[in-house]
Amino acid sequence: MQKLESTSILNHVYDTQKFRKTGHELIDTLANYLEDVTTNKDQPVIPYTNPEEELEYWKQDFASNSDISDVFKNIINRSIHVHHPRNMGHQVAVPAPISALTGLISDLLSNGTGVYEMGIASNAIEKIITDFVSKKIGFTSNASGFLTSGGTLANLTALLASRKTKAPNDVWNNGTNEKLAILVSEEAHYCIDRAARIMGLGDEGIIKVPVNEYYKIDIKELEHSFSLAQSKGLHVIAVIGCACSTATGSYDNLKELANFATKHDIWFHVDGAHGAAVVFSNQYKHLINGIEHADSVAIDFHKMLMTPALNTALLFKNADDAYSTFAQKAQYLWESQNTREWYNSGKRTFECTKFMMSIKVYSILKTYGTEVFEENVDHLYKMARVFAKMLEDRTDFELFMTPEANIVNFRYIQSENGDLNTLNSNIRKRLLESGKFYIVQTTINDNLYLRTTLMNPLTTEQDLLELLEEINIIALTSH
Ligand SMILES: Cc1ncc(COP(=O)(O)O)c(C=O)c1O
């Protein structure tokens, strides 16, 4: 029989000595980077370049003979530095290095995890992690969950489950002519709107309920929206609670939403992608009182729980609901098509192949104990309150509202011509270009606010003070 020889290139690809050497070098590079970026605040948080320039840089690199170690360094240097204490922009976790290391295991082993045999350890660990979170939520042993690739996908999956359970006919198998609808606060993350559109609900089926003065769903308006939907012949299948909302970090009253859902026999989903992490905090878990009555809850580990993206838990109060969402046959994957075993997680997830997400969370909990999440959430929320107080005490800034979460919106208000939107937009642009701080912006009621999410436990009060000083300098030199 003819022996198949691998080519010399393929021998290089799997050369373990090369892997060892490059790997050691990369860990050294990353450790030096971490040391530098967390202590040397004078270097930019973000090395901002315009997209066309950046594309040109990488086109040239692709065509050159650059060494892979240099490529690694260039990728790092040309990226935003989330570990930098002056990174306060989006709701992205500042990954615990141990979790990033575990990510290397996930990438090298590439255990697809949707099928037990392709994720033996990772499926078992996934059950431990999701049972742990379920218990924190207050679900009973009837609950069950899994990990999936992000809050967006988790919310879509939960809404598909709501359709399976609450729609008048079996849409999954038979399609429908029925006009289905969901109720959600007008402040909800755009992925809820996207999920509903994917499900074919259209404009009419996504009912955006007005919020009250605290940017929480208005319960009276909710009843009104429900009645109006019924009078139009819509069949409402679900109400979604924001815990918390993205723009302002407001927590909907989950107890009231739970009562509303029970009264009307509809599904209650909690989008806790960002803020349900308070389930780990004794000090702040009151913000999600009532979450234990939800039919499903999404929580991102890659937001306040120090895990690299993407890593989301979707928990169902009633395990059967999770198994019926994607009831399909796949002879090549599962021996038994109709059974509901926890260890073939792909029966319940949108993904077939998925990362070994569970091990990234497990490594944090095993290394630092279960209190680590509580400490992180408590610290970030406290910092937001310190920052809000700092803003309230100044006459040159306006705090948008007292934060419930770690999201603080504010604006600079000393303007000669009164055009605060242009002034604050310019401030944010100048900050981005200088790279000294990374903050973002949002528009609420036609007013543009500077938006910070305090995600980094290494950010200090001094950093926040210096942010305001920097804004002051920019504003004074903008006139
Ligand atoms: C409240 C809320 N839900 C959902 C999402 C989307 O989550 P992901 O980015 O994990 O898909 C976000 C993202 O910021 C969010 O803030």
Side-chain angles (χ1 to χ4, degrees):
M1 197 181 288
Q2 195 181 357
K3 191 168 170 245
L4 289 175
E5 295 289 344
S6 48
T7 66
S8 59
I9 294 181
L10 291 179
N11 279 334
H12 281 301
V13 172
Y14 301 102
D15 176 346
T16 54
Q17 281 315 315
K18 178 98 176 126
F19 173 69
R20 191 184 306 276
K21 182 171 176 298
T22 313
H24 280 298
E25 272 174 24
L26 178 59
I27 295 297
D28 279 340
T29 300
L30 287 171
N32 290 340
Y33 161 76
L34 260 186
E35 220 166 80
D36 191 36
V37 88
T38 54
T39 53
N40 178 4
K41 294 183 184 181
D42 291 336
Q43 66 166 310
V45 186
I46 178 165
Y48 189 78
T49 49
N50 82 50
E52 296 306 328
E53 249 177 69
E54 191 62 17
L55 181 62
E56 193 48 42
Y57 175 86
W58 288 106
K59 275 184 178 169
Q60 286 184 20
D61 181 80
F62 193 51
S64 77
N65 287 325
S66 51
D67 181 78
I68 196 65
S69 299
D70 290 334
V71 171
F72 291 158
K73 284 182 189 151
N74 289 335
I75 291 172
I76 294 168
N77 290 336
R78 301 182 77 86
S79 298
I80 186 166
H81 309 309
V82 297
H83 291 83
H84 194 302
R86 292 180 176 185
N87 161 46
M88 339 170 160
H90 286 293
Q91 299 152 265
V92 172
V94 176
I98 191 71
S99 192
L101 285 179
T102 321
L104 187 57
I105 302 178
S106 170
D107 279 359
L108 192 77
L109 267 54
S110 202
N111 278 203
T113 297
V115 182
Y116 179 64
E117 290 160 23
M118 282 304 297
I120 297 172
S122 53
N123 273 299
I125 294 172
E126 185 164 320
K127 177 158 172 55
I128 290 171
I129 298 293
T130 48
D131 283 355
F132 170 65
V133 184
S134 273
K135 211 166 155 193
K136 286 275 177 196
I137 287 175
F139 283 168
T140 67
S141 56
N142 284 337
S144 171
F146 49 79
L147 298 180
T148 191
S149 304
T152 299
L153 204 51
N155 285 329
L156 171 61
T157 308
L159 291 180
L160 285 169
S162 79
R163 189 178 67 180
K164 185 82 185 171
T165 312
K166 299 294 182 184
N169 42 19
D170 183 353
V171 185
W172 185 255
N173 286 310
N174 306 323
T176 186
N177 292 325
E178 190 89 27
K179 284 169 28 173
L180 303 177
I182 58 164
L183 290 161
V184 66
S185 137
E186 61 185 350
E187 287 294 310
H189 190 265
Y190 76 84
C191 70
I192 300 286
D193 181 283
R194 185 175 286 188
R197 288 176 196 280
I198 290 169
M199 288 164 59
L201 271 53
D203 274 341
E204 216 185 6
I206 308 157
I207 303 169
K208 293 189 179 155
V209 183
V211 290
N212 62 22
E213 60 186 306
Y214 303 108
Y215 291 79
K216 298 165 186 278
I217 198 164
D218 187 318
I219 300 292
K220 277 198 215 89
E221 291 282 353
L222 187 61
E223 286 288 358
H224 174 69
S225 300
F226 185 81
S227 307
L228 197 63
Q230 282 193 315
S231 68
K232 288 185 194 164
L234 288 158
H235 188 105
V236 177
I237 53 172
V239 62
I240 294 114
C242 297
C244 52
S245 64
T246 307
T248 61
S250 306
Y251 284 85
D252 286 344
N253 186 326
L254 301 185
K255 257 190 182 161
E256 286 184 340
L257 290 182
N259 291 339
F260 176 84
T262 306
K263 178 175 159 195
H264 295 291
D265 189 25
I266 59 175
W267 187 274
F268 175 30
H269 172 64
V270 174
D271 176 7
H274 182 81
V278 296
V279 76
F280 294 104
S281 161
N282 278 317
Q283 198 178 342
Y284 295 105
K285 69 180 173 200
H286 65 90
L287 291 167
I288 51 169
N289 278 348
I291 197 169
E292 67 280 9
H293 302 300
D295 293 295
S296 52
V297 177
I299 303 183
D300 279 357
F301 282 102
H302 62 271
K303 288 195 166 61
M304 265 191 294
L305 302 174
M306 309 164 98
T307 309
L310 292 165
N311 210 311
T312 300
L314 179 60
L315 294 321
F316 287 86
K317 183 167 65 189
N318 176 0
D320 281 349
D321 291 328
Y323 289 101
S324 56
T325 313
F326 300 115
Q328 278 173 306
K329 293 186 171 53
Q331 311 292 355
Y332 44 86
L333 285 182
W334 299 302
E335 263 177 48
S336 152
Q337 306 302 314
N338 298 319
T339 50
R340 300 186 159 188
E341 60 282 356
W342 59 263
Y343 44 83
N344 284 317
S345 64
K347 281 191 173 176
R348 293 178 289 158
T349 59
F350 197 95
E351 306 102 313
C352 174
T353 305
K354 62 178 193 180
F355 288 115
M356 300 166 77
M357 292 180 230
S358 60
I359 63 171
K360 298 188 195 173
V361 180
Y362 194 67
S363 65
I364 298 175
L365 294 173
K366 281 293 286 180
T367 311
Y368 303 106
T370 51
E371 307 77 24
V372 65
F373 290 154
E374 174 161 32
E375 220 174 278
N376 194 48
V377 169
D378 285 357
H379 182 79
L380 300 179
Y381 275 40
K382 182 173 168 212
M383 212 160 33
R385 282 145 184 76
V386 168
F387 188 37
K389 175 82 178 56
M390 200 183 280
L391 287 158
E392 271 174 334
D393 288 347
R394 295 182 64 134
T395 52
D396 44 355
F397 287 93
E398 176 188 76
L399 173 69
F400 171 67
M401 66 181 223
T402 306
E404 280 194 298
N406 55 338
I407 297 168
V408 184
N409 296 311
F410 64 100
R411 58 183 179 164
Y412 188 79
I413 51 172
Q414 289 194 332
S415 153
E416 277 168 9
N417 63 9
D419 183 359
L420 294 180
N421 282 1
T422 306
L423 175 61
N424 282 279
S425 168
N426 288 340
I427 288 171
R428 144 81 192 157
K429 224 175 276 160
R430 293 263 302 270
L431 275 177
L432 184 67
E433 284 160 6
S434 77
K436 288 185 183 171
F437 290 85
Y438 184 62
I439 66 170
V440 292
Q441 66 186 45
T442 189
T443 300
I444 310 169
N445 300 333
D446 297 329
N447 291 328
L448 187 139
Y449 288 91
L450 302 171
R451 179 170 176 275
T452 54
T453 313
L454 301 176
M455 297 300 284
N456 191 337
L458 303 172
T459 302
T460 62
E461 204 171 328
Q462 187 61 28
D463 291 316
L464 298 169
L465 269 172
E466 287 181 31
L467 167 66
L468 300 188
E469 285 322 309
E470 185 64 27
I471 291 174
N472 224 318
I473 292 167
I474 293 175
L476 293 176
T477 54
S478 294
H479 295 304

